């Protein structure tokens, strides 16, 4: 079989073998219900509390400030709905967010709008970075929440989180950040960065799918989305996903232990990809050149369809993405690319490569030449490209 190159780590990552090995005993040996009083249940309970302390330490939180969820989407929903509930009781029904958030955030905000909340979305035009002055100007007397993602899943931009958090602290507004793309990839300190709530998901840092966590600073009252038993201090009912929690904890510690060693190498391969793909005529990098995730490469190519590009790259053994996994399959171009100012046609011709420490220099050279070939091939029979070359329509890139 042809070698496969996985360059879609922003969509999900493979679970590390060491992580799986640590999870296995919790399926068939220490499988007691953590709420049960006999030894097997209590052993599972101890493991969960040990994991909570380790996860808390990894982001400089206190163990009681961490609750386990089914992933990033649930953590985002719970964070936002909790802050909205606090706001509602005080008559504050205004929320500030950004136009480039994940749908787990945007759709939750839309739901709140139907309930009478007002939402201001900060633009992030051009670079894909929120302007702290714009945030300061957007906060009002009745603002109950600011939610801005730590790092974007499509264009990789990393926000000035600690500055945004400081503004919220000063104004007395709760600050939540969807850090699903950042946790395990960047060092995060919730205290130093003035973060009140943070969402994370294990499958984005080589842990298992279906488990994540929400950090909520002591004093920020959570509303539970799932009613039932008293698990997670009554804030998240349901028997705990013990193997998942163990796997997430292991994966996060492994990621952080290797972060200094891996980041430099991943960045240099990212930069090689950016340099190589920039040679393609009428192409443009999306997002800020430097304030981006170590492994994110996002491009637009004029005169092609992203979907066709992906299928042909798949034939060449390359797993990549166009827009986000959630938007692909729909005909609308990515809201993130539109928000940073890409025109509709151009936004359709996008490519995201998200690499990790398993990506090699040979992979980079192979991917660059494959993308160059495929883009040239698609343009060779694209009517849009023909009109551009003939000068019937102007190039925008
Ligand atoms: C993947 C992702 C999510 C959703 O996380 P799940 O664990 O898949 O629910 C939310 N926000 C961002 C930025 C993501 O990349």
């Amino acid at each position: 079989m042809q070698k496969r190159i996985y360059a879609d780590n922003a969509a999900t990552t493979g679970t590390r073998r060491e992580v799986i090995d640590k999870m296995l005993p919790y399926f068939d040996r220490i499988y007691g219900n953590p709420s049960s009083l006999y030894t097997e249940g209590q052993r599972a309970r101890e493991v969960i509390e040990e994991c909570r302390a380790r996860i808390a330490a990894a982001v400089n939180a206190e163990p009681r400030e961490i609750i386990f969820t089914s992933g990033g989407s649930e953590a985002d929903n719970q964070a936002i709905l909790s802050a909205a509930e606090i706001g509602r009781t005080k008559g504050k029904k205004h929320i500030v967010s950004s136009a480039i958030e994940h749908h787990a955030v945007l759709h939750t905000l839309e739901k709140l709008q139907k309930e009478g909340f007002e939402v201001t979305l900060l633009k992030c035009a051009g670079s894909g970075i929120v302007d702290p002055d714009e945030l300061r100007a957007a906060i009002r007397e009745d603002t109950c929440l600011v939610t801005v993602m730590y790092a974007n899943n499509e264009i990789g931009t990393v926000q000035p989180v600690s500055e945004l958090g400081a503004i919220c602290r000063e104004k007395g507004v709760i600050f939540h950040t969807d850090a699903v793309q950042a946790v395990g990839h960047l060092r995060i300190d919730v205290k130093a960065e003035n973060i009140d709530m943070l969402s994370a998901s294990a499958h984005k840092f080589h842990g298992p799918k279906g488990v994540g966590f929400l950090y909520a600073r002591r004093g920020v009252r959570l509303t539970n989305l799932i009613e039932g038993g008293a698990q997670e201090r009554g804030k998240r009912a349901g028997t705990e996903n013990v193997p998942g929690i163990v796997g997430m904890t292991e994966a996060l510690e492994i990621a952080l232990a290797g972060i200094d060693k891996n980041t430099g190498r991943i960045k240099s391969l990212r930069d090689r990809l950016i340099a190589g793909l920039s040679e393609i005529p009428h192409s443009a990098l999306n997002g800020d050149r430097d304030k981006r995730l170590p492994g994110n490469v996002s491009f637009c190519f004029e005169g092609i369809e992203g979907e066709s590009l992906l299928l042909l790259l798949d034939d060449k053994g390359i797993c990549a993405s166009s827009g986000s996994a959630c938007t692909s399959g729909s005909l609308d171009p990515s809201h993130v690319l539109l928000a940073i100012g890409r025109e509709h046609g151009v936004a359709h011709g996008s490519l995201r490569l998200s690499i990790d420490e398993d990506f090699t220099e040979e992979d980079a050279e192979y991917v660059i030449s494959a993308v160059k070939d495929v883009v040239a091939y698609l343009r060779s029979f694209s009517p849009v490209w023909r009109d551009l070359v003939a000068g019937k329509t102007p190039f925008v890139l």
Side-chain angles (χ1 to χ4, degrees):
M1 206 182 96
Q2 181 191 32
K3 186 192 172 194
R4 300 290 296 174
I5 296 178
Y6 188 74
D8 201 17
N9 288 278
T12 194
T13 59
T15 307
R16 293 250 173 263
R17 179 49 57 187
E18 312 91 277
V19 169
I20 297 172
D21 289 342
K22 294 280 188 181
M23 292 170 69
L24 287 175
Y26 297 94
F27 285 102
D28 63 350
R29 288 203 290 116
I30 311 163
Y31 56 79
N33 189 317
S35 300
S36 300
L37 291 180
Y38 41 78
T39 311
E40 288 81 350
Q42 287 312 297
R43 182 70 199 105
R45 158 75 39 224
E46 281 162 26
V47 164
I48 291 176
E49 294 317 318
E50 178 198 311
C51 287
R52 198 186 308 282
R54 287 161 65 191
I55 293 272
V59 296
N60 194 25
E62 289 164 32
R64 61 195 292 194
E65 295 174 318
I66 302 294
I67 82 159
F68 296 119
T69 68
S70 67
S73 300
E74 184 186 333
D76 283 341
N77 275 255
Q78 188 164 18
I80 293 167
L81 295 173
S82 298
E85 213 39 59
I86 296 168
R88 209 192 303 263
T89 59
K90 297 180 179 164
K92 296 184 173 193
K93 296 178 83 176
H94 176 242
I95 297 173
V96 181
S97 186
S98 86
I100 64 168
E101 297 297 309
H102 190 273
H103 282 139
V105 168
L106 290 177
H107 290 168
T108 306
L109 295 177
E110 281 166 24
K111 174 167 145 166
L112 287 170
Q113 277 174 310
K114 291 193 190 109
E115 296 173 15
F117 280 80
E118 234 186 291
V119 175
T120 302
L121 294 184
L122 303 171
K123 297 232 166 15
C124 326
S127 64
I129 308 267
V130 167
D131 177 355
D133 290 334
E134 226 182 287
L135 171 65
R136 186 182 287 281
I139 294 175
R140 315 190 310 211
E141 280 298 314
D142 62 341
T143 305
C144 62
L145 167 69
V146 171
T147 172
V148 173
M149 71 202 313
Y150 204 110
N152 184 269
N153 45 304
E154 293 185 43
I155 59 174
T157 46
V158 178
Q159 304 297 339
V161 166
S162 115
E163 211 178 326
L164 304 180
I167 294 170
C168 295
R169 205 44 63 95
E170 179 197 317
K171 302 260 189 185
V173 177
I174 293 174
F175 177 53
H176 166 249
T177 186
D178 171 346
V180 173
Q181 289 291 332
V183 171
H185 302 275
L186 301 173
R187 283 199 190 285
I188 293 180
D189 180 327
V190 293
K191 299 244 153 48
E193 295 174 83
N194 311 304
I195 300 166
D196 295 317
M197 290 198 272
L198 171 143
S199 310
S201 178
H203 77 99
K204 301 291 175 74
F205 52 81
H206 297 287
K209 291 172 183 57
V211 62
F213 69 88
L214 171 62
Y215 151 79
R217 187 172 57 75
R218 208 161 57 172
V220 176
R221 192 184 154 78
L222 292 178
T223 304
N224 48 340
L225 306 185
I226 300 174
E227 303 292 345
Q231 292 92 350
E232 301 295 299
R233 299 205 327 283
K235 298 306 176 190
R236 205 282 180 180
T239 302
E240 298 87 340
N241 176 0
V242 184
I245 290 167
V246 168
M248 171 164 68
T249 306
E250 285 294 325
L252 184 52
E253 287 183 350
I254 292 171
L256 293 178
I259 203 165
D260 293 329
K261 178 168 71 76
N262 292 327
T263 303
R265 212 181 63 81
I266 297 171
K267 268 189 182 167
S268 80
L269 290 172
R270 171 198 73 186
D271 293 344
R272 173 69 196 110
L273 286 169
I274 291 175
L277 298 182
S278 296
E279 289 166 9
I280 297 175
H282 302 287
S283 68
L285 179 70
N286 297 315
D288 192 88
R289 177 64 190 78
D290 302 308
K291 292 174 193 141
R292 67 190 305 125
L293 287 167
N296 175 286
V297 176
S298 169
F299 267 83
C300 280
F301 304 108
E302 199 148 7
I304 63 156
E305 272 296 329
E307 309 265 291
S308 320
L309 175 62
L310 294 190
L311 292 176
L312 292 171
L313 288 178
D314 183 27
D315 284 345
K316 291 178 180 282
I318 299 168
C319 307
S321 148
S322 175
S324 70
C326 324
T327 38
S328 61
S330 86
L331 286 174
D332 293 335
S334 140
H335 67 284
V336 176
L337 296 176
L338 295 180
I340 62 168
R342 295 288 181 222
E343 297 198 6
H344 261 251
V346 170
H348 272 297
S350 69
L351 173 70
R352 176 188 73 189
L353 301 165
S354 42
I355 61 171
D356 71 353
E357 56 270 36
D358 297 337
F359 197 78
T360 66
E361 272 172 53
E362 299 82 75
D363 292 342
E365 296 314 317
Y366 178 76
V367 168
I368 292 167
S369 94
V371 175
K372 283 181 174 173
D373 289 352
V374 172
V375 169
Y377 170 72
L378 288 171
R379 282 174 173 173
S380 72
F381 55 83
S382 153
V384 175
W385 181 252
R386 198 178 49 222
D387 287 353
L388 288 165
V389 173
K392 284 189 191 160
T393 47
F395 282 108
V396 287
L397 298 182

